[in-house]
Amino acid sequence: MRIVVLAGGIGGARFLLGARRLPAEVTAIVNTGDDVTLHGLHISPDLDSVMYTLGGAADPERGWGRAGETWAVGSELAAYGAEAPWFSLGDKDIATHLVRTRMLDAGYPLSAVTAALCARWEPGITILPMTDDRVETHAVVTDDEGRRAIHFQEWWVRYRGEIPTDRFVFTGAAEAAPGAGVVEAIAAADAIVIAPSNPVVSIAPILAVPGVRDAIVASRAPVVGVSPIIDGAPVRGMADKCLATLDTEVSAAAVAGLYGPSAEGGLLDGWLVDDSDARAAVEGLPILARPLWMTTPEETEAIIRDGLGLVGVRP
Ligand code: GDP
Ligand code: CA
């Protein structure tokens, strides 16, 4: 059995810890819209969150970066007043970015670089960047400096999302192609699962890469999604602020509405909501309510099994 998961960073990584327990070949298609170049280093926050988490190397409290991290290089950069002092860079993490940047500079695509990094971490699943091309999520904001577009990382890390925001744009997405293996994995899937990742800045950029959405719609595999919104609020992160830019209500049903039921040309054949949202309804979409807290990998596996069951797949 082959299962494809669309995933962002921290929520996606936690979800994949559960997916990895299934008797299935799991392929994660991961958002790269958060990627940013700082100090000449190519940083892929969501790919690294997934790789470190599944490799058992992530910091459990922070949720991102490496456990047992030290910060010597970052404080030295700050002492020079080097660019982007608001972005923390751990020493161990920097080694990952150095290897990635060197390989990219040598001409390897990001997919090959990711595979090379994963050879060390043995995540137990296949991790594919959504694209090998450069795509960056930018937030269109208005502040004292006027109306401008800033990188998603600056929006989130520097301003904590607390800045008037019109919308997000996925710069470069229209000219991008699906990453190596992405379309093939979707075509070969027995089931496609949308992780409870941020729908606006983690899943939407993946779907904005031309060819990805079409491949999902064309696939014979059923698609089931898991709500990142529980009882009208994101479990963690800024999905509420992101949904506001789309004039979308912060609810489990509204997120399902963004993906759309397959019966109406959308993606979903099934949608999981938390028990607290048991009354959520979307016309033409089978919905199952059950607890959606990813407390342990075992519990997350049970969530995914129920989701697969809803669309008639038994791993
Ligand atoms: P990021 O790229 O690091 O921001 O991570 P993701 O986009 O993959 O995941 C962030 C989303 O995960 C947030 O919108 C949260 O609401 C959601 N999330 C985090 N923990 C849980 C959980 O235990 N259950 C559910 N249903 N959603 C969660
Ligand atoms: Ca992210």
Side-chain angles (χ1 to χ4, degrees):
M1 159 141 318
R2 297 193 174 107
I3 297 176
V4 163
V5 179
L6 308 189
I10 298 174
R14 195 171 298 171
F15 190 74
L16 288 162
L17 283 175
R20 181 171 66 177
R21 298 176 53 82
L22 295 166
E25 259 177 57
V26 176
T27 300
I29 299 173
V30 178
N31 172 43
T32 59
D34 294 8
D35 286 24
V36 63
T37 304
L38 289 172
H39 314 291
L41 301 174
H42 184 109
I43 302 169
S44 298
D46 287 359
L47 283 172
D48 285 350
S49 287
V50 170
M51 181 177 76
Y52 292 154
T53 299
L54 293 176
D59 184 284
E61 265 90 66
R62 273 201 315 279
W64 55 270
R66 295 280 304 279
E69 188 58 281
T70 54
W71 308 91
V73 175
S75 20
E76 286 299 307
L77 288 167
Y80 282 114
E83 64 180 288
W86 41 266
F87 195 87
S88 307
L89 273 177
D91 299 331
K92 295 184 181 192
D93 211 15
I94 286 172
T96 304
H97 307 323
L98 283 168
V99 174
R100 175 184 293 120
T101 305
R102 196 173 149 85
M103 286 189 73
L104 288 170
D105 286 350
Y108 290 96
L110 184 61
S111 49
V113 176
T114 302
L117 294 170
C118 284
R120 172 179 178 197
W121 296 111
E122 300 183 346
I125 66 164
T126 303
I127 301 176
L128 300 179
M130 68 186 197
T131 181
D132 283 314
D133 298 318
R134 182 169 172 178
V135 175
E136 282 187 2
T137 301
H138 290 183
V140 179
V141 301
T142 309
D143 64 3
D144 306 345
E145 294 175 42
R147 191 161 187 272
R148 62 203 172 103
I150 59 175
H151 193 286
F152 172 75
Q153 294 297 340
E154 185 170 9
W155 179 83
W156 173 235
V157 180
R158 184 178 194 179
Y159 296 108
R160 317 302 308 167
E162 281 155 10
I163 181 170
T165 309
D166 288 359
R167 62 196 175 98
F168 294 93
V169 285
F170 310 126
T171 308
E175 298 81 41
V182 165
V183 168
E184 292 80 358
I186 292 170
D190 297 297
I192 298 169
V193 186
I194 304 180
S197 290
N198 188 310
V200 184
V201 293
S202 289
I203 303 297
I206 301 174
L207 298 173
V209 176
V212 173
R213 174 185 281 272
D214 290 349
I216 295 172
V217 170
S219 160
R220 63 191 169 78
V223 180
V224 61
V226 178
S227 176
I229 303 297
I230 295 183
D231 201 14
V235 176
R236 138 177 207 168
M238 60 323 202
D240 48 345
K241 295 189 180 81
C242 297
L243 287 166
T245 65
L246 301 179
D247 289 324
T248 299
E249 184 187 86
V250 183
S251 74
V255 175
L258 288 179
Y259 299 139
S262 64
E264 289 169 26
L267 296 176
L268 296 173
D269 299 300
W271 183 241
L272 289 193
V273 302
D274 187 73
D275 279 335
S276 59
D277 300 307
R279 281 177 305 175
V282 177
E283 215 181 298
L285 181 62
I287 292 184
L288 174 76
R290 57 107 63 223
L292 288 189
W293 296 93
M294 299 190 283
T295 47
T296 62
E298 292 76 9
E299 179 53 25
T300 306
E301 177 192 358
I303 293 174
I304 300 170
R305 282 184 180 271
D306 282 358
L308 293 174
L310 178 64
V311 296
V313 176
R314 309 249 162 253

